[in-house]
Each structure stands twice: as C-alpha cells, then as structure tokens.
Amino acid sequence: MSSGLNLAQHEAVNHLHGPCLVLAGAGSGKTRLITHKIGRLIQTGLEPERIAAITFTNKAAAEMRERAKGLVGRDAQKVLICTFHALGVRMLRQDGMALGLKAQFSILDTDDVTGLLKDAGGTTDAATARQWQWTISKWKNMGLNAEAAATQAQNDEEAVLARIMARYEERLSAYQSVDFDDLISLPLKLLREHAEVRERWQTQMGHVLVDEYQDTNATQYELLKLLVNQAGRVDARLTAVGDDDQSIYGWRGATLDNLRRLPEDFPQLKVVKLEQNYRSTSAILRAANNLIQPNPKLFPKTLFTELGEGEPVRVIDCDHEDHEAERMVARIQSLRAGQGMSGAVEWKDFAVLYRANHQARVLEQALRKASIPYKVSGGQSFFDRAEIRDLCAWLRLIANNDDDPAFVRAATTPKRGIGHQTLQSLGTFANQYKLSLFGALFSHSLPSVLKSRALSSLQEFGRLVNDLEFRARHTEGHEDAARFLNDWLTDIAYETHLREQEESAKLADARWINVQDFIAWMAKRCGGQLEDVAGAQIATRKQTLLEVIQTVSLLSTLSEREVDQNVVTLSTLHAAKGLEWPHVMMAGVVDGVLPFHKEAKRSAGADEAEADETEAFTGRLEEERRLMYVGITRAQRTLVVSYPRKRKRGREMVSTMPSRFIAEMQLDAATVKEDPREKLKTLRAEFARKAELAKAEQARAER
C-alpha cells in the first residue's frame, strides 16, 4: 500500500495511533500521502465510513476522491471526502433540529445575504451592505455571534453593526436559512452545547485527515478539535497536512496560530517534514527557498529536488504594461516554436500569474491580438449566471418553503402577475404575524389586506410550489427527474421568459443551453451517476429529486462541466494555489502591487499607533512574500518574472520600482537577465525564415 513513497511520506502514512502534523512543502506529494494514509487505515482494519478527509475546495475533494478510488477501490466510496462546509451541511442536516433548524434549511448565496443585510440595516446601498457582510463574516470566523460582537465593539460603528448583525441573525432563523459562515459556526455550536451529538460524531470520526491545514480559521480549528479530541484520550486520531510557507488567506480569517497551537493542544503530536519536491527544477526551487528565507519559521524546512538544474529563472524588465504583455506573448510563441531548451509545447502548458484581477485586461488584449486561446481562471461561476440563479431559487423554495429570498425571486421570475406592491403587502402581513411569506399565503386573514386578483395569483403560485414539492419528493432516478424538470420549465414558460429578456438571439440561445446543461446535470445526479458533493461521497444509488435539490446550494461550480482545455491560463496568484504548469510567467511584479501595500497615514506623536501599524505591515509583508512563493512554486520547468518600469494609475503613467521580492530571490543577474527586444527580433527572424521556406516549397510544387 505504501510502495513508491519516500521515507518521510512512509513515516507519516504509518503513524496511525496519535496526532500527526505533516509539513508538506510545495510539490512534495501531499495528495499522494493523504490517499495512501486512507488506504493504510483501511488496511489496518478501520472501517472506511469512519475515515474523513477534509479539504477546502470541491475540486480538491473530487481529485482526492478519484485518487483514493484508484488506490483502494470500492472502499473509497465509503470514505467521507469533502470540504469543511460540506461536512457542516451533513452535520446540520442530520442534527440541526437540536438548534431549531429543520433538515430542509436553505443555504443563502452572497446576493441573498446582501439583500437581507440591506433590509436589516435600513439601507439601499449594496456596497455598504457588502462591507457589513465582510465584517460579519470575519466576526463569525472568529467565533463571535451578534451578542459577543457587541460586547467587543471597539467603536460606535462596530456597535451599530453588531445590532444590524442581531437583526440579520433573526431573519436567518425566521427563514430557516444559513449563510456560508454558519456552516462552520453552527456545527461548532452543536458540538459544544449538545453532549450526545458530540459523542456520536466523535465516535463516527475514527480518523480525520485535513488538507491545506494552514488555511483553517479559528472556528474550523475549534470544530476540528471537538471532532477528534474525545475526553480522556491522548491519541487524537488526526492527521493535519499543511505548509506555513503557503498560508495566503489571512485576509479571510486563516491563521497560522492554528499551526502554533497544535503542539500545545496535542502534546503527543508527531511532526513529519516533506521537503523533496517532485514538481520543479533546482533553479526554480533555489529562488523559492531564497525568497521565503526572511519569513520567521514555525517549522524550518528547505525544499530540494532531483529533477536537475533546469533553465535559469529569468527576469524581464519592460517599458510599460502593454510592452510587458507583448513580451509575454513573444515568450509563449517562442517556446511554442521550439526555441527554448524545453522544446515544442501546448497552449495549456503556459500560465501567466498576477496579483490582482485588473492586471488581466492588458494581457487578454495581447493574447487576442496574437490569436492565442486563453481562459481567465476564477471567472464567473456557473451558479452566478442569472438563469441558473433563477432556477436555484425555485428549487430552494421547493425544498424549504420558509426561504423568503427564494420566494421573492421565484414568484417574480418568470412574471406571473405578482408585483412588488403585492409582495410588499404580503411581507408586512407576514412580519405582523411572524410568518414566512409562503406561510402567510393561505392565512384566513390575508384577504383583508390584498385584492382578490393579487391574492388569487399568490395562492396559485403557492399551490404550484406545493405540487412541485410533492412530485420532487416522489421523483427518483435519471429519466423521471429529467422528465419532471423539463415539464416544469415548460409549465413556467422559462424559455419564453429568457428570450423576452434578451435582445440578442445568440445570447438567448447560450443562456438556454446553460439551462439545459443544468437540468441534465441535476437529472444525472438523481440517477446516481455523479459524485454527491454535499453528501461528500460517490453516489451509488438513485436519489429523489428533493434529495439532490438539497445539495445544490452548497456548490460553487459545476466541476463536472470542466474539461482540460488546450488554452493559456491567466490567473491571480491566489486562484493558482494548488495548481502547476510547465511554464509560468509572473507579471507586474512591482513594489506596491506585489507586495501590495498602501501608504500608511500616521499622526505626529502617535507612537503606539505607529508601532501597531508597523507590526501590521510586517504581517502583511510576510503574507505577500508567501504569495510570491506560491507563484514561484507553481512552475515545473521554466519561470519568468516580469515588471514594467511604468504603469497606469488612474489616468496617469507612474514610475515603478521592481518588487523587493525579485532581489530576495538572489538570482544571478549575469545569467537570468534577458533583453525582450532581442528575443522578439530573433523570433521574427525565425518566423520570416519559415515563411520564406514555405513560399519556396510552394513555388517548387507549382512548377
């Protein structure tokens, strides 16, 4: 089971009776280690259904599940492999009644949350509501509810926001809904306050493996501790796999304190370092090791590789951002033409990485001009498309009648004679009697506040939803689900609605294709043909449509739709984490962008404020350095770091300084600096030579 592992991996895989921290450097085979440890645990007699492997994205969970299946076969289907949030859903669906949450609760998306906060805070400004949302999310990730946030408020603004948070929490409870952060905080509350639930889950968790451990926040760590740390046990069954050098999500609550606390909370902790890199050349790893050296180390390590020296890391300085984009294109074309040591390559072997989304625009323009196919990683999610959000609102309402945000969207899309005035009157009535909008529909008192025509439209809508819920509960399997969903779309005339919304027939066709893809995807899940992401296991049985509907809200992307396209990837450094490419180019590596920082504003004599600001800047700089490190270690064979001498700031062109990180890489300037103009001249000459040869060949053929 452990063949092909190096000594460090072998040591971690075979440490089965106690907590283990695996410090997995970039490209050191952590997924391989986790899947082999799952296999080893099963081999030693632990039931597969008592093993949980937790990661941070659906995509990573799907990859791990597939690798485990290849290693241990059908037993992998019984292992709980999922994200933290999917685990939270499972816990709340099973035991949420203890918190007053029914099993069919809804999971609100970002837009729904923004709408609720606008209502709770009495504002019509979406930007203000989003700022509130950000702070409330931060508080929840710190383990604070509205009452605790009010107690710890530092100023009047935070005190006001704590009161808004309290009203927001009341609305979530009334709508039998949760937001994304609740999927961690509510399971934690469940385990803390209900001993019988805690004991049952602790018994269920025979061994927990956590991937990307450095990205956990305070709430996730507390949840993890309660799951694995049964009273009186010193051999907590936990394997945490992470890398402090790749902790880049401090801005959303991830904390390295969780790494520091592990040895304190688990005194029997065994630490294993994975330092052999199987991805990159020595030249690339040397630059990465040099760069990360200034950061303080929790657990010092140095990556090494047996893949050879490889090509030197190259630094390109350019006149401005347009010039930089042209140089990127020239390099891609050069390597495609087989001019480098690497030989001819495909488009998908290239990635251009940058610090912020806005940097992609000029790169896209240059690639389009050169007719080079590309994709922007982290683009619009399939579930963010208006047509999919429309359908998901209907499905959420079918599963949970108390979901008011879903009610409003479904009742008005497509239009069915229910106007905003009618909904406002219904809302006022529902609030007065403490009912959900749907719950108020058939109240004996409702006719006193609504005209008969409006009442008739609402009640007809309510009867339709009830009918759909009944049918969805009794619709099972692929064919029946496909028939049901297509009949539903016909009944509500959704295709007609789409085409009336769009002036462009081509765009309407594209949106309708999205709808059909979504319907086909849902039907396949009912047939047990695809992975049940929210249930965190490979579906091996037919499911009712209602069961599948309850998993949809958790998904952020239709991962099954993704194909391995032969295109150049443009990506932010954050979105590139966990990925790798043969040829990586990092663009816009200038001070102020990477590392990103704003000018600090300090008042004279404010020594304490200055000290706090200096400490905060040091922390941000260390995280930015880790972000650069992540970018460097995405590269397998070649790496180029590029910076423009000038860049646009608003309408002005401002001079820039190369990022301090370039110097910290300690590259040999004599061997890594290249003149892009000379490179372009050589490339053009090569293209001209090939064109002449082709012309001469054609002339000979014509003779």
Side-chain angles (χ1 to χ4, degrees):
M1 186 64 70
S2 57
S3 60
L5 300 177
N6 63 35
L7 288 176
Q9 291 170 331
H10 193 272
E11 184 180 12
V13 164
N14 285 283
H15 184 75
L16 305 175
H17 302 292
C20 181
L21 171 61
V22 181
L23 294 161
S28 62
K30 64 183 179 64
T31 304
R32 179 180 177 81
L33 179 144
I34 291 171
T35 53
H36 273 76
K37 186 150 191 176
I38 290 171
R40 183 73 177 122
L41 288 164
I42 293 172
Q43 190 181 54
T44 56
L46 185 61
E47 301 94 328
E49 54 270 23
R50 296 189 61 220
I51 301 171
I54 305 172
T55 187
F56 277 81
T57 67
N58 291 326
K59 185 175 180 181
E63 180 189 352
M64 191 177 295
R65 201 175 295 119
E66 193 62 31
R67 300 263 294 264
K69 182 181 177 183
L71 185 66
V72 301
R74 294 178 61 183
D75 279 342
Q77 298 176 7
K78 303 173 186 176
V79 178
L80 181 63
I81 301 177
C82 63
T83 64
F84 265 105
H85 294 90
L87 174 63
V89 169
R90 173 177 283 228
M91 295 176 71
L92 292 176
R93 295 270 188 230
Q94 183 173 318
D95 293 303
M97 286 295 291
L99 300 176
L101 202 61
K102 65 182 184 182
Q104 292 80 29
F105 64 85
S106 295
I107 304 167
L108 300 189
D109 62 27
T110 302
D111 283 358
D112 291 326
V113 170
T114 302
L116 283 188
L117 284 172
K118 285 164 69 175
D119 180 44
T123 182
T124 58
D125 182 37
T128 299
R130 282 193 293 270
Q131 187 59 47
W132 291 343
Q133 183 180 350
W134 178 260
T135 304
I136 289 172
S137 176
K138 183 178 177 183
W139 284 345
K140 286 189 176 186
N141 286 330
M142 292 167 61
L144 304 178
N145 58 16
E147 185 179 355
T151 303
Q152 297 186 24
Q154 300 292 310
N155 50 48
D156 291 343
E157 185 179 346
E158 288 191 359
V160 169
L161 182 50
R163 289 196 291 273
I164 293 172
M165 182 179 178
R167 293 195 287 270
Y168 168 65
E169 288 179 345
E170 289 172 2
R171 284 161 172 76
L172 285 176
S173 178
Y175 299 159
Q176 283 289 301
S177 297
V178 300
D179 61 25
F180 214 52
D181 298 311
D182 289 331
L183 296 178
I184 307 299
S185 60
L186 290 181
L188 176 59
K189 182 179 181 182
L190 189 64
L191 297 185
R192 278 177 170 168
E193 298 179 0
H194 299 275
E196 71 287 354
V197 175
R198 180 172 66 249
E199 289 168 9
R200 187 166 63 252
W201 277 97
Q202 287 178 339
T203 301
Q204 170 66 27
M205 296 288 146
H207 198 103
V208 179
L209 303 100
V210 184
D211 190 16
E212 304 288 7
Y213 177 77
Q214 77 281 347
D215 293 336
T216 54
N217 60 39
T219 314
Q220 288 164 334
Y221 180 60
E222 292 302 319
L223 177 65
L224 189 61
K225 276 204 306 181
L226 282 175
L227 283 173
V228 304
N229 207 12
Q230 284 180 270
R233 293 189 68 102
V234 295
D235 61 338
R237 296 145 301 178
L238 168 68
T239 300
V241 183
D243 181 8
D244 51 340
D245 289 334
Q246 295 187 71
S247 179
I248 58 174
Y249 292 112
W251 49 275
R252 69 181 189 194
T255 172
L256 283 175
D257 284 342
N258 291 351
L259 271 169
R260 294 187 185 96
R261 291 174 60 188
L262 266 181
E264 301 168 9
D265 293 338
F266 299 96
Q268 307 298 318
L269 183 73
K270 181 179 183 63
V271 178
V272 179
K273 297 180 185 179
L274 302 188
E275 297 175 290
Q276 182 170 358
N277 175 287
Y278 294 95
R279 175 187 300 157
S280 307
T281 63
S282 293
I284 293 168
L285 282 192
R286 189 162 54 248
N289 286 331
N290 289 341
L291 170 79
I292 205 66
Q293 190 60 39
N295 273 12
K297 304 293 182 188
L298 290 174
F299 304 94
K301 64 180 181 305
T302 302
L303 297 184
F304 69 93
T305 182
E306 296 178 355
L307 297 178
E309 177 65 17
E311 292 193 31
V313 176
R314 303 182 186 280
V315 176
I316 301 178
D317 60 322
C318 308
D319 296 338
H320 45 71
E321 289 159 307
D322 289 324
H323 185 219
E324 181 179 41
E326 291 170 7
R327 300 291 74 80
M328 297 287 181
V329 167
R331 177 167 178 79
I332 292 170
Q333 290 173 327
S334 173
L335 286 174
R336 280 273 295 173
Q339 294 224 333
M341 288 170 57
S342 308
V345 292
E346 297 185 80
W347 297 122
K348 66 181 179 181
D349 293 334
F350 295 96
V352 184
L353 310 181
Y354 38 82
R355 176 63 177 82
N357 281 308
H358 69 82
Q359 293 173 273
R361 183 185 59 81
V362 66
L363 296 163
E364 287 191 74
Q365 290 172 342
L367 289 167
R368 282 199 298 267
K369 184 178 178 182
S371 299
I372 294 176
Y374 69 91
K375 68 176 179 181
V376 180
S377 183
Q380 185 186 37
S381 162
F382 187 82
F383 277 81
D384 286 337
R385 299 176 192 275
E387 58 272 21
I388 306 304
R389 287 170 53 77
D390 288 344
L391 302 186
C392 284
W394 275 87
L395 298 178
R396 278 168 41 195
L397 185 61
I398 289 169
N400 173 18
N401 295 162
D402 293 326
D403 187 339
D404 278 7
F407 180 100
V408 172
R409 186 163 189 142
T412 56
T413 312
K415 289 182 171 51
R416 54 178 53 251
I418 300 173
H420 292 293
Q421 190 64 47
T422 298
L423 287 172
Q424 186 174 9
S425 299
L426 178 65
T428 302
F429 178 86
N431 285 336
Q432 181 182 349
Y433 291 97
K434 299 190 182 309
L435 299 168
S436 68
L437 294 176
F438 192 91
L441 283 188
F442 300 101
S443 168
H444 296 302
S445 305
L446 188 59
S448 65
V449 298
L450 285 177
K451 294 179 180 178
S452 59
R453 184 176 176 181
L455 180 63
S456 176
S457 295
L458 280 171
Q459 291 184 339
E460 180 186 350
F461 173 67
R463 284 189 288 271
L464 173 60
V465 172
N466 277 333
D467 179 57
L468 290 170
E469 190 273 339
F470 177 82
R471 289 167 57 198
R473 188 181 297 278
H474 295 89
T475 296
E476 185 176 276
H478 183 191
E479 291 183 8
D480 286 350
R483 188 180 305 112
F484 172 96
L485 292 167
N486 282 300
D487 288 348
W488 162 54
L489 291 180
T490 301
D491 290 344
I492 66 174
Y494 192 77
E495 184 178 4
T496 302
H497 161 77
L498 268 189
R499 298 194 182 282
E500 288 175 350
Q501 293 283 308
E502 292 294 343
E503 294 181 7
S504 163
K506 186 176 180 181
L507 188 53
D509 287 341
R511 293 182 65 188
W512 180 242
I513 288 171
N514 288 336
V515 168
Q516 291 175 312
D517 285 352
F518 177 70
I519 294 303
W521 178 80
M522 289 284 292
K524 285 181 180 178
R525 284 183 174 269
C526 291
Q529 296 175 33
L530 295 174
E531 293 169 356
D532 178 2
V533 178
Q537 60 185 352
I538 298 173
T540 55
R541 62 175 179 84
K542 290 183 179 180
Q543 298 180 83
T544 68
L545 183 57
L546 194 63
E547 286 178 298
V548 172
I549 286 171
Q550 290 170 11
T551 71
V552 169
S553 298
L554 185 64
L555 303 176
S556 59
T557 179
L558 277 173
S559 57
E560 289 84 358
R561 292 168 49 87
E562 295 179 5
V563 294
D564 188 18
Q565 298 170 289
N566 188 21
V567 296
V568 173
T569 298
L570 302 182
S571 174
T572 63
L573 289 163
H574 282 101
K577 188 166 178 288
L579 303 175
E580 59 187 71
W581 296 269
H583 307 286
V584 170
M585 292 163 277
M586 298 178 65
V589 187
V590 297
D591 198 56
V593 176
L594 183 64
F596 174 78
H597 61 81
K598 296 178 181 178
E599 289 298 321
K601 295 180 180 178
R602 299 190 179 94
S603 56
D607 293 339
E608 187 175 339
E610 282 195 31
D612 289 343
E613 179 62 33
T614 300
E615 183 178 351
F617 175 75
T618 300
R620 288 195 300 270
L621 182 63
E622 289 170 2
E623 180 157 321
E624 292 287 304
R625 186 178 285 115
R626 293 194 291 268
L627 190 57
M628 178 80 172
Y629 176 84
V630 164
I632 293 171
T633 53
R634 298 312 92 198
Q636 297 171 328
R637 292 156 67 183
T638 72
L639 173 67
V640 165
V641 177
S642 173
Y643 65 91
R645 294 192 190 93
K646 291 186 177 181
R647 68 183 182 95
K648 281 186 180 178
R649 183 182 292 166
R651 296 184 177 180
E652 293 183 298
M653 289 292 288
V654 297
S655 297
T656 66
M657 291 291 292
S659 169
R660 69 191 73 189
F661 295 154
I662 294 177
E664 290 178 1
M665 291 162 69
Q666 299 178 41
L667 304 173
D668 180 357
T671 61
V672 301
K673 209 72 176 275
E674 69 176 35
D675 186 340
R677 296 171 185 79
E678 290 302 318
K679 191 89 173 176
L680 190 59
K681 282 181 187 177
T682 304
L683 183 64
R684 285 172 175 162
E686 178 64 16
F687 284 159
R689 185 181 68 81
K690 289 183 177 179
E692 286 297 326
L693 288 173
K695 190 186 294 184
E697 185 66 31
Q698 184 178 1
R700 281 197 298 273
E702 289 173 352
R703 288 199 298 269

